[in-house]
Amino acid sequence: MQELDGWFITDGSPGPGEAPLSDSHSPNIAATRLSTRGGACQVHGGWIASDAEGRLAAVIGHPGWREPAASPADPARTLLVAYQQHGAAVLERLGGDFALAILDPVENRLLAGIDRLGQWPLYFSRITGGVAFSTSLARLPTPDGQAREPTADGLFHYLFFHMLPAPVSLYAGVEKLQSAHCLRLGQNTLRVEPYWLPRFEEPAQADIATLGGQLRQHLGDSVKRLAEPAATGAFLSGGLDSSSVAGMLAAQRPGQADTFSIGFDAPGYDEIAYARLATDHFGTRPHEYYVTPEDVVEAVPLIAENYDEPFGNSSALPAYFCARLAADAGMTRLLAGDGGDELFAGNARYAKQGVFELWYRQPALARRLLEPLLTRLPRQVPLLGKARSYVEQARIPLPDRLQTYNYLHRLPLAEMFDPGFLEQVNTDDPWDLMRGIYRRPENASTLNRMMYLDWQQTLADNDLRKVSRMCHLAGVEVVYPMLDDTLVEFACRVPSTLKLHKGRLRHFYKEAMSGFLPDEIIDKKKHGFGLPFGVWMQEHAPLRELAYDGLLRFKQRGIIRPAFIDRLITLHREGHAAYYGELVWVLMMLDLWLETHHK
């Protein structure tokens, strides 16, 4: 796995020294380190360069230029030249996936940033006189060498989102960049700001056939560019996006495209039949593996430990086994389909929120008169109860309404959390973070605002971290053809009414891929890559013991009330196993992470 880290001081204070730039998560990849006046930087598996005046540039990932570059084979050298010409605006000219840092002792400033979709993380913290930064939290220096301790606010954000959304970190004094953001350090100034925002367009006239052809061309070009290494395969779940990417790879490598799929022997969770449909349709070389409860028991501690911060998405486990399957087959790179739902309106909540938004199209006077009447209707009468529930949800404004399923919305916080823990937390912070992101794009439709929020929190902070980290653990690189800059900009020009048409998710995308993808895949209901943890936990004693051991330890941490954990176990046993099993997983993974990182 590529890594980048370093530090820069603007006031002449002594730096943190050599130690922070020593260890690596990738011991088999040689580190390249350069120092300059006021700072130092190193990369593992990336590029680094300096000029005669002491400026230093470092970059990792797969950077690309939006205009012809003088020396594209040397990204760091090209970055230095472009920086001297354009200053901080150089980020607007850079594409692809990347994390970068430019140390400029001539102007006494630092510029650091990550790509538009946040495919790489970048942590940073203030040090005396400047800033330290790293793509790995473990490599970020601590003040005076003291061990960091989790904060109540960080833990609350994890329990709210099931991960730590940027810019929030688990630790005080540590932040991480949101996608398309940069850090700018100058003399006595530090700013974090977006360098790019999407420009969503809603053209009155749009020819779906023409747009469909452009979509297929852009995706095919992206797959061709990213599948350059011979030992490149593709994730294949049988969904729209992975099937599209696998199909494009097969078109470029007839009979020689390797695809990798995971199955579960659990009703309602296994989609491998659709993956097989795609392999038959495109003629790929299929590789399959069925995850078992025994696999979960074996891998869960390893997976929990591997993340820089607690991570509670249970589909990390099938992602790991799929990546391991590919590595065992000799693959060095995998193509993943992540991003299509967030670019082309594939998440069910988009359609659901469109139904609720109809309430706001009614005259304000009618809403004021009807709301008190409808919210007093009896819940136990089916039709009346549905009318009441509709209004109760509809009157919650976006983006808050997106969280009505959230455990921390549905359950009283005072009953869930230890009172001493809750006193340390500002419970409004997760909501304020969502609202700020949701409002950020200019002139965006409700649909595009929801998708932009998902770019940040569902994609960058969750799905990409999940897949990238698990591929690293398995020993294979991963890239994301759907997140090609040209394809993202194209998606911003597709009208909202085509992306989601009369409640049909992915309408434009499905029409564009008709004839390329099998009809059964286009028409199938969205499923996802979920793990049947809650169901298996009821049936498999070792898995149940693993989870319960974690919950018993967690009772002693002063975060969740022990009585609530007892209630959760009862709800899982006697209620909805899948729903409450997910919360068990979230708490278990937090406990396992704390056990390995803060024992």
Side-chain angles (χ1 to χ4, degrees):
M1 185 175 184
Q2 294 179 311
E3 295 174 347
L4 176 152
D5 46 45
W7 52 271
F8 192 69
I9 305 294
T10 61
D11 69 353
S13 300
E18 296 284 314
L21 304 185
S22 57
D23 300 326
S24 171
H25 285 305
S26 306
N28 296 324
I29 301 177
T32 304
R33 176 187 303 163
L34 290 177
S35 299
T36 189
R37 297 187 307 276
C41 193
Q42 76 175 15
V43 295
H44 295 257
W47 302 269
I48 191 167
S50 60
D51 65 16
E53 296 180 284
R55 298 182 188 88
L56 190 159
V59 60
I60 61 173
H62 306 90
W65 292 94
R66 306 179 62 76
E67 54 194 42
S71 55
D74 187 350
R77 182 69 57 189
T78 305
L79 182 60
L80 266 181
V81 173
Y83 171 75
Q84 292 178 39
Q85 295 174 341
H86 304 292
V90 67
L91 288 167
E92 300 170 15
R93 293 166 167 79
L94 195 60
D97 61 277
F98 62 83
L100 64 81
I102 301 172
L103 286 60
D104 184 352
V106 178
E107 299 294 334
N108 200 26
R109 62 192 183 193
L110 163 73
L111 175 68
I114 60 173
D115 60 85
R116 292 182 175 190
L117 275 298
Q119 297 178 61
W120 291 91
L122 191 66
Y123 297 87
F124 65 94
S125 64
R126 296 175 186 269
I127 56 176
T128 303
V131 167
F133 54 88
S134 179
T135 52
S136 167
L137 178 57
R139 295 173 54 77
L140 201 63
T142 58
D144 303 321
Q146 298 177 359
R148 294 189 177 97
E149 291 298 328
T151 65
D153 278 326
L155 291 166
F156 186 80
H157 275 83
Y158 167 79
L159 292 168
F160 189 97
F161 292 107
H162 307 170
M163 48 78 183
L164 274 298
V168 179
S169 165
L170 189 64
Y171 302 109
V174 177
E175 298 176 61
K176 51 184 183 275
L177 292 180
Q178 293 177 300
S179 59
H181 276 60
C182 65
L183 178 157
R184 301 177 67 175
L185 174 70
Q187 187 74 38
N188 302 318
T189 63
L190 189 154
R191 300 202 311 273
V192 176
E193 58 194 12
Y195 64 83
W196 176 81
L197 282 172
R199 292 181 56 189
F200 293 107
E201 300 176 17
E202 302 289 346
Q205 300 293 327
D207 183 75
I208 195 168
T210 300
L211 290 173
Q214 293 171 355
L215 168 64
R216 293 190 297 274
Q217 182 66 51
H218 291 321
L219 182 57
D221 290 345
S222 180
V223 169
K224 182 178 181 179
R225 176 175 58 84
L226 293 173
E228 184 177 352
T232 297
F235 282 104
L236 180 58
S237 68
L240 283 173
D241 297 319
S242 67
S243 298
S244 298
V245 170
M248 295 290 180
L249 180 64
Q252 295 167 20
R253 299 179 178 181
Q256 298 185 16
D258 290 277
T259 53
F260 300 87
S261 306
I262 290 296
F264 305 102
D265 188 12
Y269 288 88
D270 189 26
E271 278 204 309
I272 210 158
Y274 289 100
R276 290 169 180 166
L277 187 65
T279 62
D280 291 343
H281 183 76
F282 293 118
T284 71
R285 296 188 297 210
H287 306 256
E288 299 177 356
Y289 183 78
Y290 264 77
V291 175
T292 67
E294 290 79 12
D295 290 328
V296 180
V297 173
E298 171 200 343
V300 157
L302 177 66
I303 290 171
E305 179 183 5
N306 193 257
Y307 284 95
D308 273 339
E309 296 179 291
F311 190 77
N313 186 335
S314 62
S315 61
L317 193 136
Y320 166 65
F321 279 101
C322 198
R324 199 170 78 174
L325 179 67
D328 290 344
M331 298 295 108
T332 59
R333 178 179 288 185
L334 275 174
L335 307 179
D338 298 80
D341 285 333
E342 292 75 23
L343 291 175
F344 296 104
N347 292 318
R349 57 184 171 272
Y350 303 150
K352 182 178 180 180
Q353 297 309 318
V355 174
F356 288 126
E357 286 297 294
L358 294 174
W359 174 250
Y360 289 96
R361 297 181 190 175
Q362 310 310 310
L365 178 60
R367 282 188 278 119
R368 283 198 299 270
L369 293 173
L370 289 172
E371 184 174 314
L373 298 174
L374 293 173
T375 53
R376 291 190 181 96
L377 292 173
R379 297 184 187 275
Q380 60 272 23
V381 180
L383 290 178
L384 299 182
K386 285 188 176 182
R388 175 174 176 168
S389 176
Y390 173 83
V391 175
E392 287 176 339
Q393 292 184 70
R395 65 182 180 179
I396 301 172
L398 285 171
D400 295 22
R401 198 191 308 130
L402 293 166
Q403 293 292 335
T404 55
Y405 68 92
N406 194 311
Y407 300 111
L408 272 62
H409 171 79
R410 300 174 70 92
L411 303 171
L413 297 182
E415 294 180 12
M416 182 177 181
F417 287 98
D418 179 272
F421 174 85
L422 207 53
E423 287 175 359
Q424 304 175 58
V425 173
N426 184 342
T427 58
D428 290 332
D429 282 351
W431 302 95
D432 291 340
L433 176 59
M434 285 190 308
R435 293 164 189 157
I437 297 171
Y438 180 80
R439 295 167 185 155
R440 190 178 292 158
E442 297 181 0
N443 303 317
S445 67
T446 297
L447 175 62
N448 283 329
R449 289 188 186 280
M450 287 191 288
M451 290 196 296
Y452 177 74
L453 175 61
D454 277 347
W455 292 7
Q456 296 283 348
Q457 295 192 334
T458 302
L459 197 56
D461 293 328
N462 199 329
D463 290 342
L464 300 186
R465 295 294 166 267
K466 171 192 71 182
V467 178
S468 295
R469 201 69 183 188
M470 291 301 93
C471 284
H472 168 59
L473 179 60
V476 64
E477 182 187 22
V478 64
V479 290
Y480 303 94
M482 285 282 182
L483 304 185
D484 175 79
D485 293 290
T486 302
L487 190 53
V488 171
E489 291 178 351
F490 167 80
C492 292
R493 298 193 298 270
V494 176
S496 298
T497 52
L498 286 185
K499 293 173 185 170
L500 176 61
H501 184 65
K502 296 181 179 179
R504 188 191 188 204
L505 296 168
R506 300 288 291 266
H507 171 74
F508 161 70
Y509 190 93
K510 291 174 179 177
E511 293 298 304
M513 290 297 174
S514 180
F516 179 73
L517 293 176
D519 290 343
E520 295 89 339
I521 289 176
I522 289 177
D523 295 335
K524 86 177 189 69
K525 185 178 179 181
K526 179 177 170 57
H527 185 274
F529 205 29
L531 176 74
F533 172 74
V535 176
W536 278 351
M537 195 179 135
Q538 286 185 319
E539 304 167 351
H540 191 259
L543 185 57
R544 187 165 58 250
E545 291 170 8
L546 174 69
Y548 286 175
D549 285 348
L551 293 180
L552 288 173
R553 281 194 305 267
F554 202 73
K555 283 184 176 184
Q556 311 304 316
R557 297 192 182 276
I559 300 170
I560 301 291
R561 288 178 180 269
F564 177 83
I565 293 178
D566 292 336
R567 180 185 168 205
L568 174 61
I569 293 172
T570 300
L571 288 170
H572 173 261
R573 286 174 175 169
E574 301 175 1
H576 195 301
Y579 179 76
Y580 292 107
E582 192 67 19
L583 183 53
V584 171
W585 175 277
V586 168
L587 296 181
M588 178 187 72
M589 295 302 280
L590 175 56
D591 175 78
L592 287 169
W593 190 92
L594 291 171
E595 278 290 291
T596 55
H597 291 261
H598 291 277
K599 195 166 184 178

